[in-house]
């Protein structure tokens, strides 16, 4: 068993192309012996965003803090603390911070996501169409 | 894609033997098409607890609100908002609310957990030894 405050887990810069001002913590995952899926926590700074991309695995997301959007294809959904988001495999998506403080969320993925390809979508890094 | 406030998901009473004053919401799971794992949210009322048991699948937990404990075998860990807990397969565990308000947490499980046996541990429903 592992019990700890999530903020004690080391934060790392997200280096994926198309991301801007994002940090990640790997809270629970294969290094703990977790056999199936991993819990990560993302922090997107003001005006930051995650890559606009798709991949053949899902995301299960819980928003902890802040104001943001998630892009679903061409549609933008506002997101807030307490929202859940299911991103199905192969859906184009992008998280953006549109608030005045950090956007924090949990984002869980299956362990085999590490071995699967990520497809960058066009228009990455520009304002999504509403 | 599914985007919604978690509190809009219907809450159901936990009927498992050995539980007391627990509710659950199935936030994301097989009914949404999620292929690998399910995100549930538990709410344990004041003086409530989950069963003291083990099962051959893991839990990945994030505490949202409240003051509680998790039993690891004979050892009691205090838990608070912002704590993460990894319960490995076959570990005996039990959550308890020891605060003055509800204890709320996310608890994720692999989808095949529904087909696996749960083993009730002795001393269920009595105060765990510290």
């Amino acid at each position: 068993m592992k019990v700890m405050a999530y903020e004690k887990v080391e934060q790392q810069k997200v280096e994926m192309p198309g991301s801007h001002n994002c940090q990640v913590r790997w809270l629970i995952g294969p290094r703990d012996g977790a056999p199936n899926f991993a819990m990560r926590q993302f922090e997107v700074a003001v005006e930051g965003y995650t890559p606009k991309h798709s991949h053949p695995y899902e995301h299960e997301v819980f928003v902890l803090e802040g104001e943001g959007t998630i892009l679903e294809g061409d549609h933008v959904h506002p997101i807030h603390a307490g929202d859940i988001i299911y991103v199905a495999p192969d859906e184009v998506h992008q998280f953006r911070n549109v608030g005045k403080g950090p956007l924090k969320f949990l984002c869980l993925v299956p362990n085999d996501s590490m071995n699967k390809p990520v497809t960058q979508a066009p228009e990455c890094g520009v304002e999504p169409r509403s």
Side-chain angles (χ1 to χ4, degrees), chain A:
Chain A
M1 189 176 289
K2 169 181 172 179
V3 183
M4 67 186 293
Y6 90 89
E7 289 180 322
K8 290 192 177 168
V9 177
E10 185 200 5
Q11 206 170 36
Q12 302 169 307
K13 184 170 165 49
V14 175
E15 303 282 7
M16 239 188 301
S19 70
H20 182 60
N21 283 348
C22 298
Q23 310 263 344
V24 64
R25 290 180 171 99
W26 285 77
L27 302 180
I28 302 171
R31 282 195 297 181
D32 303 299
N36 293 295
F37 56 94
M39 180 185 285
R40 299 105 41 97
Q41 184 261 332
F42 284 79
E43 182 164 333
V44 183
V46 173
E47 299 185 358
Y49 44 85
T50 66
K52 182 179 174 186
H53 67 190
S54 64
H55 36 64
Y57 55 87
E58 73 278 21
H59 284 324
E60 299 192 16
V61 172
F62 188 96
V63 182
L64 297 171
E65 185 180 319
E67 300 288 326
T69 59
I70 182 162
L71 187 67
E72 176 188 7
D74 281 345
H75 184 74
V76 174
H77 299 272
I79 57 173
H80 320 274
D83 283 345
I84 52 169
I85 303 154
Y86 172 58
V87 181
D90 297 319
E91 280 191 306
V92 172
H93 60 280
Q94 181 180 41
F95 292 88
R96 279 182 178 263
N97 186 339
V98 299
K100 293 180 177 169
L103 174 66
K104 299 182 183 181
F105 56 90
L106 304 176
C107 178
L108 291 101
V109 290
N111 284 353
D112 66 0
S113 65
M114 267 75 96
N115 305 319
K116 291 193 171 173
V118 171
T119 305
Q120 196 80 12
E123 297 178 82
C124 196
V126 302
E127 204 55 38
R129 283 172 286 164
S130 60

